[in-house]
Amino acid sequence: MATRKSKDQAAAAIFKAVGHPARVRMLRVLVDGEQCVCDLVTAAGLGWSTVSRHLAVMKAAGLLTDEKRGKQVIYRLELPCVGRFLACLDHPQKYPEMHTTCACIDE
């Protein structure tokens, strides 16, 4: 059984992994379904090696899984709640139960 401290550390690793705009862009693409690295390179607007490093950070945090298919590596979200979290940040009015005391609801 995971201790509270280990759960907190895992959650902190996830937030750290989401803490870069390029990673958020890639997560938004992955919310719609699995993607090959080439599509994530296009979405992020970055080079292959940079995208690969970002993907490795997100995979290590438990956000993503990957699968090799021939010469392609396919990534998918391991935590589907990430999609709802991003949607909540984008459209807080759609999730009032998550913003009952949040000033952002009036934006």
Side-chain angles (χ1 to χ4, degrees):
M1 185 163 111
T3 65
R4 181 70 177 161
K5 185 176 180 179
S6 66
K7 287 181 181 180
D8 290 346
Q9 289 172 330
I14 289 169
F15 278 106
K16 184 176 179 180
V18 178
H20 191 284
R23 294 182 200 147
V24 173
R25 261 192 312 273
M26 288 185 272
L27 288 170
R28 288 184 191 282
V29 173
L30 289 162
V31 164
D32 294 330
E34 59 185 33
Q35 301 289 327
C36 67
V37 176
C38 57
D39 292 335
L40 296 170
V41 166
T42 301
L46 300 169
W48 284 76
S49 62
T50 303
V51 168
S52 291
R53 282 194 305 270
H54 285 305
L55 291 168
V57 168
M58 292 188 288
K59 183 179 173 187
L63 284 165
L64 308 177
T65 57
D66 65 350
E67 176 184 340
K68 188 153 173 84
R69 294 184 192 162
K71 293 183 179 183
Q72 291 187 326
V73 178
I74 306 297
Y75 282 86
R76 75 180 61 80
L77 268 179
E78 184 67 16
L79 299 175
C81 59
V82 170
R84 183 162 184 199
F85 177 71
L86 291 173
C88 179
L89 294 175
D90 291 342
H91 307 286
Q93 296 82 5
K94 289 184 180 179
Y95 302 93
E97 72 278 8
M98 298 175 79
H99 294 274
T100 56
T101 60
C102 182
C104 63
I105 195 74
D106 295 327
E107 292 180 0

